[in-house]
Amino acid sequence: MNLNFLDFEQPIAELEAKIEELRLLSDESAIDISEEIQRLQARSKDLTKSIFSSLTPWQISRIARHPQRPYTLDYTKRIFTEFHELHGDRAFGDDAAMVCGVARFEGEPVAVIGQQKGRTTVENLQRNFGMPRPEGYRKALRVMRLAEKFKLPLLTFIDTPGAYPGIDAEERGQSEAIARNLFVLAGLQTPIIATVIGEGGSGGALAIGVADRMLMLEYSTYSVISPEGCASILWKSGEMAEKAAEAMGMTSARLLELELIDEVVPEPLGGAHRAFDDMAERLRQVLIDNLSTLRKLDNGDLLIDRRQRLMSIGQTKEKQ
Amino acid sequence: MDWFKKLLPSRIRTNGTTKRVVPEGLWTSCPGCKGVLYRAELERNFNVCLKCSHHLRVGARQRLDWFLDAEPRVEIGKEIEPIDFLRFKDTKRYKDRLSQAQKATDELDALVVFMGRLQSRTIVAGAFEFEFMGGSMGSVVGERFVRGVNAAIEHDAPLVCFSASGGARMQEALVSLMQMAKTSAALAALSARGLPYISVLTNPTMGGVSASLAMLGDINIAEPDALIGFAGPRVIEQTVRQTLPDRREMREQITSLLSLITHQSAL
């Protein structure tokens, strides 16, 4: 079993293994089997297309958490030039689960904030699996204010299972740190574009996700709680996660339908992890378009629009 | 044996047909010290145990009734009702959960907001009803809170909110998460007008509510021993396998976030 493939992708994995085998064989033998290889490659592509055209929300949430999926720093490398990371919240410490800095985007200076997961165990321990602590949110807050001061558009990249739920985080005021970011972002005098690149987990994601444009990669998810968490609370069983994923409507397509996000960035066939460069280029284009629209607005209009967007969220009925 | 019974009547009476009726709810026991309390006396003490000072839960309407002057009072956003726009169903339908909660609490949703007076000064005050689906924040709570803020801005009045909530309402999925941003944005507008906001955190104030409107007070006041935080003890224990210290210790640890811890009756 190839661990780079998820369980529902195993048919593709098997086919790919076969292709690889044939390729090795063709190197050694005199018989020309390149035609056969091509035929199989076409079949693998069709198979991927068909599997990916009918993914369930649970399967999508598995892709969003794929260990090979590109993370924030994979995008900063490809989308920006001169990215300079800024460390520390100037109060407690530096949180490696949150990456902040300044960079150039299409030659123009911007501020960048994103959560960062690790790819290896060692990296994941250092990055705390992409779960920021209060100092991470306060570092982000510091960079938000910097963006406002120097009139830098703010680009955020959301990829976290959630804010870290540990005692130390509580002691240093996880709630206050998140609340403060929401409060400041709502009135920040600079354009903000937030993109969910993987997992958008709850308040921990929202704390860098109050924006003028809300984007999501096709196979990313955004929800109030993880499907496992939702299942264990409402169904009293973590095994109902699949059902919870369905019920919460956490996929990009569903959230676009609900008008909670503005745009879905299509992913390369088989998901972003199959083609980092292609994915980064797609995202770059979308960011260029959205930023140029936002740049046309003056700060006053920008803030009025942002406020109206926030105030319109919610569905209720009113008795007359 | 009859003569003996007559001589020494049994102390055990089994044929007492006239049962003395004790009215339901006249007495109550304190969850803190297990002491038996006379309800009327308890209420006179604002639901604070007379023996151990444990703060018993207070309903939203009751709390505002104690807090505000008797006249005048206008309820804000009373007409807003929740709807099950996602047709959410876990082990039960959200719709059924709503009507059940509405029946049990006699409220339409988990936040009650009033504009009234406090010692003759105009004020907007809101309180969470914990008995309504754990005081969870969904569209209605967010909208009522925002209308309360808007009323405060319009009348140049201060805002007070008593929170008691488990967090965001999962049955409204991402829309409930966005209420955190919505309420925080409204408070940013209130703050820009230079109006004061006092947040009173009662037991418990967790998750999405603590990570938004409850922690944003110019003054944050907490009830003694209230459970306040982002992740609940169960979540912490399950995800990071740390066991929480005693609630009292925890309170001491988060005092940096609070301006004041005060007795209910002092409010």
Side-chain angles (χ1 to χ4, degrees), chain B residues 182-243:
Chain B
K182 180 172 172 172
T183 52
S184 303
L187 286 172
L190 184 79
S191 179
R193 289 298 198 87
L195 292 167
Y197 166 48
I198 297 175
S199 171
V200 185
L201 297 90
T202 75
N203 187 37
T205 300
M206 305 299 294
V209 171
S210 85
S212 62
L213 61 97
M215 277 291 173
L216 291 172
D218 295 305
I219 299 176
N220 292 337
I221 300 174
E223 229 176 42
D225 295 334
L227 189 64
I228 296 165
F230 181 66
R234 219 166 1 126
V235 176
I236 295 181
E237 273 159 39
Q238 278 173 7
T239 44
V240 297
R241 313 261 170 237
Q242 290 173 317
T243 316

Side-chain angles (χ1 to χ4, degrees), chain B residues 7-235:
Chain B
L7 207 69
L8 264 171
S10 161
R11 281 172 187 247
I12 307 158
R13 281 232 196 113
T14 47
N15 58 344
T17 44
T18 50
K19 261 195 195 159
R20 266 220 264 154
V21 185
V22 181
E24 198 61 40
L26 195 59
W27 294 87
T28 186
S29 86
C30 167
C33 66
K34 309 276 177 263
V36 178
L37 302 163
Y38 185 47
R39 188 167 290 244
E41 208 173 2
L42 182 67
E43 275 175 22
R44 262 203 304 283
N45 200 35
F46 302 104
N47 270 22
V48 176
C49 175
L50 291 103
K51 291 170 182 158
C52 72
S53 282
H54 179 87
H55 283 53
L56 280 83
R57 195 158 280 149
V58 180
R61 243 165 243 281
Q62 173 73 81
R63 197 178 290 270
L64 294 175
D65 189 44
W66 285 337
F67 184 66
L68 294 169
D69 294 354
E71 288 283 322
R73 290 178 187 178
V74 187
E75 189 169 349
I76 296 170
K78 187 167 80 178
E79 63 287 351
I80 311 169
E81 281 183 61
I83 47 172
D84 177 18
F85 52 90
L86 290 175
R87 293 174 197 280
F88 194 98
K89 185 171 175 260
D90 46 86
T91 49
K92 233 191 237 171
R93 282 173 206 283
Y94 177 37
K95 219 169 144 183
D96 297 339
R97 281 187 196 271
L98 279 174
S99 50
Q100 202 178 23
Q102 284 168 342
K103 229 184 210 164
T105 60
D106 215 14
E107 295 293 346
L108 288 173
D109 212 305
L111 179 72
V112 180
V113 184
F114 270 99
M115 184 153 76
R117 296 235 172 110
L118 180 68
Q119 298 186 329
S120 314
R121 200 198 189 293
T122 304
I123 191 172
V124 176
F128 278 78
E129 178 55 64
F130 190 80
E131 301 301 323
F132 194 104
M133 298 186 72
S136 57
M137 176 160 69
S139 299
V140 175
V141 171
E143 184 62 26
R144 283 184 182 172
F145 187 84
V146 166
R147 290 201 192 178
V149 172
N150 291 344
I153 291 174
E154 196 183 319
H155 292 86
D156 220 20
L159 176 73
V160 175
C161 183
F162 297 87
S163 45
S165 172
R169 189 170 296 167
M170 278 175 286
Q171 290 86 351
E172 294 193 16
L174 198 65
V175 172
S176 72
L177 185 75
M178 292 300 172
Q179 301 309 310
M180 292 168 64
K182 180 172 172 172
T183 52
S184 303
L187 286 172
L190 184 79
S191 179
R193 289 298 198 87
L195 292 167
Y197 166 48
I198 297 175
S199 171
V200 185
L201 297 90
T202 75
N203 187 37
T205 300
M206 305 299 294
V209 171
S210 85
S212 62
L213 61 97
M215 277 291 173
L216 291 172
D218 295 305
I219 299 176
N220 292 337
I221 300 174
E223 229 176 42
D225 295 334
L227 189 64
I228 296 165
F230 181 66
R234 219 166 1 126
V235 176

Side-chain angles (χ1 to χ4, degrees), chain A residues 274-291:
Chain A
R274 302 273 185 95
F276 280 28
D277 290 338
D278 184 3
M279 186 69 249
E281 181 52 29
R282 288 166 189 238
L283 179 56
R284 193 175 70 91
Q285 286 302 333
V286 175
L287 288 174
I288 291 174
D289 293 347
N290 279 287
L291 193 55

Side-chain angles (χ1 to χ4, degrees), chain A residues 225 228-237 240 244 247-248, chain B residues 88-92 97 133 169-171:
Chain A
I225 186 170
E228 289 86 351
C230 179
S232 77
I233 295 173
L234 292 180
W235 279 270
K236 314 266 180 254
S237 147
M240 301 301 277
M248 286 197 295
Chain B
F88 194 98
K89 185 171 175 260
D90 46 86
T91 49
K92 233 191 237 171
R97 281 187 196 271
M133 298 186 72
R169 189 170 296 167
M170 278 175 286
Q171 290 86 351

Side-chain angles (χ1 to χ4, degrees), chain A residues 41 142 153 226 280 291:
Chain A
Q41 274 172 336
R142 189 164 78 77
S226 70
L291 193 55

